[in-house]
Short mmCIF file of all heavy atoms in Angstrom, two decimals:
data_model
loop_
_atom_site.label_atom_id
_atom_site.label_comp_id
_atom_site.label_asym_id
_atom_site.label_seq_id
_atom_site.Cartn_x
_atom_site.Cartn_y
_atom_site.Cartn_z
N LYS A 858 10.39 8.47 7.10
CA LYS A 858 9.46 7.79 6.20
C LYS A 858 10.11 7.60 4.84
O LYS A 858 10.65 8.53 4.28
CB LYS A 858 8.17 8.61 6.04
CG LYS A 858 7.36 8.74 7.28
CD LYS A 858 6.12 9.57 7.03
CE LYS A 858 5.35 9.78 8.32
NZ LYS A 858 4.19 10.63 8.14
N LYS A 859 10.01 6.38 4.33
CA LYS A 859 10.59 6.07 3.03
C LYS A 859 9.45 5.81 2.05
O LYS A 859 8.60 4.96 2.28
CB LYS A 859 11.49 4.84 3.14
CG LYS A 859 12.16 4.47 1.85
CD LYS A 859 13.08 3.28 2.04
CE LYS A 859 13.73 2.91 0.74
NZ LYS A 859 14.59 1.74 0.88
N LEU A 860 9.44 6.56 0.93
CA LEU A 860 8.42 6.39 -0.10
C LEU A 860 8.66 5.08 -0.83
O LEU A 860 9.77 4.78 -1.26
CB LEU A 860 8.46 7.56 -1.09
CG LEU A 860 7.52 7.46 -2.29
CD1 LEU A 860 6.06 7.48 -1.84
CD2 LEU A 860 7.79 8.62 -3.26
N LEU A 861 7.60 4.30 -0.98
CA LEU A 861 7.69 3.04 -1.71
C LEU A 861 7.46 3.30 -3.19
O LEU A 861 6.44 3.85 -3.58
CB LEU A 861 6.63 2.06 -1.16
CG LEU A 861 6.61 0.65 -1.72
CD1 LEU A 861 7.94 -0.04 -1.46
CD2 LEU A 861 5.48 -0.14 -1.09
N GLU A 862 8.42 2.93 -4.02
CA GLU A 862 8.30 3.07 -5.47
C GLU A 862 7.48 1.89 -5.99
O GLU A 862 7.82 0.75 -5.75
CB GLU A 862 9.67 3.09 -6.14
CG GLU A 862 10.55 4.25 -5.72
CD GLU A 862 10.02 5.60 -6.19
OE1 GLU A 862 9.37 5.67 -7.26
OE2 GLU A 862 10.23 6.59 -5.46
N GLU A 863 6.39 2.20 -6.73
CA GLU A 863 5.49 1.14 -7.17
C GLU A 863 5.14 1.32 -8.65
O GLU A 863 4.13 1.93 -8.99
CB GLU A 863 4.21 1.16 -6.33
CG GLU A 863 4.45 0.95 -4.85
CD GLU A 863 3.17 0.92 -4.07
OE1 GLU A 863 2.61 2.00 -3.80
OE2 GLU A 863 2.71 -0.19 -3.75
N GLU A 864 5.95 0.75 -9.51
CA GLU A 864 5.74 0.87 -10.95
C GLU A 864 4.61 -0.01 -11.47
O GLU A 864 4.17 0.13 -12.60
CB GLU A 864 7.03 0.58 -11.71
CG GLU A 864 7.51 -0.85 -11.63
CD GLU A 864 8.20 -1.24 -10.32
OE1 GLU A 864 8.56 -0.36 -9.53
OE2 GLU A 864 8.37 -2.45 -10.10
N TYR A 865 4.09 -0.91 -10.67
CA TYR A 865 3.06 -1.86 -11.08
C TYR A 865 1.64 -1.33 -10.92
O TYR A 865 0.70 -2.00 -11.30
CB TYR A 865 3.20 -3.17 -10.29
CG TYR A 865 3.49 -2.95 -8.82
CD1 TYR A 865 2.50 -2.55 -7.94
CD2 TYR A 865 4.78 -3.13 -8.33
CE1 TYR A 865 2.78 -2.33 -6.60
CE2 TYR A 865 5.07 -2.92 -7.00
CZ TYR A 865 4.07 -2.52 -6.14
OH TYR A 865 4.35 -2.30 -4.81
N LEU A 866 1.45 -0.15 -10.35
CA LEU A 866 0.10 0.37 -10.11
C LEU A 866 -0.64 0.66 -11.40
O LEU A 866 -0.05 1.12 -12.38
CB LEU A 866 0.17 1.65 -9.26
CG LEU A 866 0.70 1.47 -7.85
CD1 LEU A 866 0.80 2.82 -7.15
CD2 LEU A 866 -0.16 0.52 -7.06
N LYS A 867 -1.95 0.40 -11.40
CA LYS A 867 -2.77 0.64 -12.58
C LYS A 867 -2.93 2.14 -12.85
O LYS A 867 -2.83 2.59 -13.98
CB LYS A 867 -4.15 0.00 -12.42
CG LYS A 867 -5.03 0.26 -13.63
CD LYS A 867 -6.38 -0.40 -13.54
CE LYS A 867 -7.14 -0.09 -14.82
NZ LYS A 867 -8.44 -0.67 -14.85
N GLU A 868 -3.22 2.89 -11.80
CA GLU A 868 -3.41 4.33 -11.93
C GLU A 868 -2.97 5.00 -10.64
O GLU A 868 -2.66 4.32 -9.66
CB GLU A 868 -4.88 4.65 -12.21
CG GLU A 868 -5.83 4.16 -11.14
CD GLU A 868 -7.30 4.24 -11.53
OE1 GLU A 868 -7.60 4.40 -12.71
OE2 GLU A 868 -8.14 4.13 -10.62
N VAL A 869 -2.94 6.32 -10.64
CA VAL A 869 -2.53 7.04 -9.44
C VAL A 869 -3.57 6.82 -8.34
O VAL A 869 -4.74 7.14 -8.52
CB VAL A 869 -2.38 8.56 -9.74
CG1 VAL A 869 -2.01 9.31 -8.47
CG2 VAL A 869 -1.36 8.78 -10.84
N PRO A 870 -3.15 6.22 -7.21
CA PRO A 870 -4.09 5.98 -6.12
C PRO A 870 -4.46 7.28 -5.40
O PRO A 870 -3.71 8.25 -5.42
CB PRO A 870 -3.35 5.03 -5.18
CG PRO A 870 -2.05 4.74 -5.79
CD PRO A 870 -1.84 5.65 -6.94
N THR A 871 -5.59 7.25 -4.72
CA THR A 871 -6.04 8.39 -3.94
C THR A 871 -6.27 7.96 -2.50
O THR A 871 -6.39 6.77 -2.21
CB THR A 871 -7.34 8.98 -4.50
OG1 THR A 871 -8.35 7.96 -4.48
CG2 THR A 871 -7.15 9.47 -5.93
N GLY A 872 -6.34 8.93 -1.60
CA GLY A 872 -6.69 8.66 -0.22
C GLY A 872 -5.51 8.57 0.71
O GLY A 872 -4.38 8.33 0.30
N SER A 873 -5.81 8.78 1.99
CA SER A 873 -4.82 8.67 3.05
C SER A 873 -5.34 7.67 4.08
O SER A 873 -6.51 7.72 4.46
CB SER A 873 -4.59 10.04 3.70
OG SER A 873 -4.02 10.93 2.75
N PHE A 874 -4.46 6.77 4.52
CA PHE A 874 -4.84 5.70 5.43
C PHE A 874 -3.69 5.43 6.39
O PHE A 874 -2.53 5.58 6.04
CB PHE A 874 -5.14 4.41 4.66
CG PHE A 874 -6.18 4.56 3.59
CD1 PHE A 874 -5.82 4.91 2.30
CD2 PHE A 874 -7.52 4.36 3.88
CE1 PHE A 874 -6.78 5.05 1.30
CE2 PHE A 874 -8.48 4.49 2.90
CZ PHE A 874 -8.11 4.84 1.60
N GLY A 875 -4.03 4.98 7.57
CA GLY A 875 -3.01 4.57 8.53
C GLY A 875 -2.65 5.67 9.49
O GLY A 875 -3.36 6.66 9.59
N PRO A 876 -1.56 5.48 10.20
CA PRO A 876 -0.54 4.44 10.04
C PRO A 876 -0.99 3.08 10.56
O PRO A 876 -1.82 2.98 11.45
CB PRO A 876 0.63 4.97 10.86
CG PRO A 876 0.02 5.85 11.90
CD PRO A 876 -1.21 6.43 11.27
N TYR A 877 -0.42 2.05 9.94
CA TYR A 877 -0.68 0.67 10.31
C TYR A 877 0.61 0.07 10.89
O TYR A 877 1.63 0.04 10.21
CB TYR A 877 -1.12 -0.15 9.10
CG TYR A 877 -2.35 0.39 8.42
CD1 TYR A 877 -2.25 1.15 7.25
CD2 TYR A 877 -3.61 0.13 8.92
CE1 TYR A 877 -3.38 1.63 6.62
CE2 TYR A 877 -4.76 0.63 8.30
CZ TYR A 877 -4.62 1.38 7.14
OH TYR A 877 -5.74 1.85 6.52
N HIS A 878 0.55 -0.42 12.10
CA HIS A 878 1.69 -1.05 12.76
C HIS A 878 1.57 -2.56 12.53
O HIS A 878 0.76 -3.21 13.18
CB HIS A 878 1.69 -0.71 14.25
CG HIS A 878 1.82 0.76 14.52
ND1 HIS A 878 3.00 1.33 14.91
CD2 HIS A 878 0.92 1.78 14.41
CE1 HIS A 878 2.82 2.63 15.05
NE2 HIS A 878 1.57 2.94 14.74
N VAL A 879 2.37 -3.08 11.63
CA VAL A 879 2.27 -4.50 11.25
C VAL A 879 2.86 -5.36 12.37
O VAL A 879 4.03 -5.22 12.71
CB VAL A 879 3.00 -4.77 9.92
CG1 VAL A 879 2.81 -6.22 9.49
CG2 VAL A 879 2.53 -3.81 8.83
N PRO A 880 2.03 -6.25 12.96
CA PRO A 880 2.54 -7.10 14.05
C PRO A 880 3.59 -8.11 13.54
O PRO A 880 3.61 -8.46 12.37
CB PRO A 880 1.30 -7.85 14.55
CG PRO A 880 0.13 -7.25 13.87
CD PRO A 880 0.62 -6.49 12.68
N GLU A 881 4.42 -8.56 14.46
CA GLU A 881 5.38 -9.61 14.12
C GLU A 881 4.62 -10.82 13.59
O GLU A 881 3.53 -11.14 14.08
CB GLU A 881 6.22 -9.99 15.34
CG GLU A 881 7.23 -8.93 15.73
CD GLU A 881 8.25 -8.61 14.65
OE1 GLU A 881 8.66 -9.52 13.88
OE2 GLU A 881 8.65 -7.44 14.56
N GLY A 882 5.17 -11.48 12.60
CA GLY A 882 4.55 -12.67 12.03
C GLY A 882 3.37 -12.39 11.12
O GLY A 882 2.65 -13.31 10.74
N HIS A 883 3.17 -11.12 10.72
CA HIS A 883 2.04 -10.72 9.88
C HIS A 883 2.51 -9.81 8.74
O HIS A 883 3.61 -9.25 8.79
CB HIS A 883 0.98 -10.00 10.70
CG HIS A 883 0.28 -10.89 11.66
ND1 HIS A 883 0.85 -11.31 12.84
CD2 HIS A 883 -0.95 -11.45 11.61
CE1 HIS A 883 0.00 -12.09 13.48
NE2 HIS A 883 -1.11 -12.19 12.76
N TYR A 884 1.62 -9.65 7.75
CA TYR A 884 1.93 -8.84 6.57
C TYR A 884 0.74 -7.94 6.24
O TYR A 884 -0.41 -8.28 6.51
CB TYR A 884 2.25 -9.75 5.38
CG TYR A 884 3.51 -10.54 5.61
CD1 TYR A 884 3.48 -11.75 6.31
CD2 TYR A 884 4.74 -10.08 5.16
CE1 TYR A 884 4.63 -12.46 6.57
CE2 TYR A 884 5.90 -10.78 5.41
CZ TYR A 884 5.84 -11.97 6.11
OH TYR A 884 6.99 -12.66 6.36
N PHE A 885 1.06 -6.79 5.63
CA PHE A 885 0.06 -5.82 5.19
C PHE A 885 -0.02 -5.94 3.67
O PHE A 885 1.00 -5.84 2.98
CB PHE A 885 0.49 -4.41 5.60
CG PHE A 885 -0.52 -3.34 5.33
CD1 PHE A 885 -1.56 -3.11 6.21
CD2 PHE A 885 -0.42 -2.54 4.20
CE1 PHE A 885 -2.49 -2.11 5.97
CE2 PHE A 885 -1.33 -1.53 3.95
CZ PHE A 885 -2.38 -1.32 4.84
N MET A 886 -1.23 -6.16 3.13
CA MET A 886 -1.43 -6.44 1.71
C MET A 886 -2.23 -5.33 1.03
O MET A 886 -3.19 -4.81 1.60
CB MET A 886 -2.22 -7.74 1.54
CG MET A 886 -1.67 -8.93 2.27
SD MET A 886 -0.12 -9.47 1.56
CE MET A 886 0.15 -10.97 2.48
N LEU A 887 -1.85 -5.02 -0.21
CA LEU A 887 -2.60 -4.07 -1.03
C LEU A 887 -2.75 -4.63 -2.44
O LEU A 887 -1.88 -5.37 -2.92
CB LEU A 887 -1.90 -2.71 -1.11
CG LEU A 887 -1.82 -1.90 0.18
CD1 LEU A 887 -0.98 -0.64 -0.04
CD2 LEU A 887 -3.20 -1.53 0.70
N GLY A 888 -3.85 -4.26 -3.10
CA GLY A 888 -4.02 -4.59 -4.51
C GLY A 888 -3.31 -3.56 -5.37
O GLY A 888 -3.06 -2.44 -4.94
N ASP A 889 -3.00 -3.93 -6.60
CA ASP A 889 -2.32 -3.00 -7.52
C ASP A 889 -3.27 -1.95 -8.07
O ASP A 889 -2.84 -0.90 -8.51
CB ASP A 889 -1.69 -3.77 -8.69
CG ASP A 889 -0.50 -4.61 -8.24
OD1 ASP A 889 -0.11 -4.54 -7.05
OD2 ASP A 889 0.04 -5.35 -9.09
N ASN A 890 -4.55 -2.23 -8.07
CA ASN A 890 -5.57 -1.29 -8.52
C ASN A 890 -6.20 -0.68 -7.27
O ASN A 890 -7.33 -0.96 -6.92
CB ASN A 890 -6.60 -2.01 -9.39
CG ASN A 890 -7.55 -1.08 -10.08
OD1 ASN A 890 -7.46 0.14 -9.95
ND2 ASN A 890 -8.49 -1.65 -10.82
N ARG A 891 -5.42 0.14 -6.58
CA ARG A 891 -5.76 0.62 -5.24
C ARG A 891 -7.12 1.29 -5.12
O ARG A 891 -7.76 1.22 -4.08
CB ARG A 891 -4.71 1.63 -4.74
CG ARG A 891 -3.33 1.11 -4.70
CD ARG A 891 -3.04 0.38 -3.39
NE ARG A 891 -1.92 -0.50 -3.57
CZ ARG A 891 -0.66 -0.12 -3.57
NH1 ARG A 891 -0.34 1.13 -3.37
NH2 ARG A 891 0.29 -1.00 -3.77
N ASN A 892 -7.55 1.99 -6.14
CA ASN A 892 -8.79 2.75 -6.04
C ASN A 892 -10.04 1.87 -5.99
O ASN A 892 -11.11 2.35 -5.64
CB ASN A 892 -8.89 3.78 -7.16
CG ASN A 892 -7.80 4.84 -7.03
OD1 ASN A 892 -7.37 5.19 -5.94
ND2 ASN A 892 -7.32 5.34 -8.15
N VAL A 893 -9.91 0.59 -6.34
CA VAL A 893 -11.06 -0.33 -6.27
C VAL A 893 -10.77 -1.58 -5.43
O VAL A 893 -11.65 -2.41 -5.25
CB VAL A 893 -11.53 -0.77 -7.68
CG1 VAL A 893 -11.93 0.43 -8.51
CG2 VAL A 893 -10.48 -1.59 -8.39
N SER A 894 -9.57 -1.70 -4.89
CA SER A 894 -9.17 -2.92 -4.19
C SER A 894 -9.70 -2.99 -2.76
O SER A 894 -9.58 -2.03 -2.00
CB SER A 894 -7.64 -3.02 -4.16
OG SER A 894 -7.24 -4.19 -3.49
#
């Protein structure tokens, strides 16, 4: 597992989710304000 460095986040996010297996031809999206996105 490789930690994603994210300097653009508004605040420290909380919670645990996944794992998500991204299908071919698709993308997984997150907002920068994770706690309300």
Side-chain angles (χ1 to χ4, degrees):
K858 294 180 184 177
K859 182 178 179 182
L860 175 64
L861 184 60
E862 298 293 328
E863 300 182 282
E864 67 282 346
Y865 42 76
L866 295 177
K867 179 178 181 180
E868 59 191 15
V869 178
T871 59
S873 296
F874 305 89
Y877 301 101
H878 299 258
V879 183
E881 288 300 325
H883 291 76
Y884 295 85
F885 186 83
M886 308 291 187
L887 293 175
D889 290 356
N890 189 1
R891 302 274 159 79
N892 295 328
V893 301
S894 180

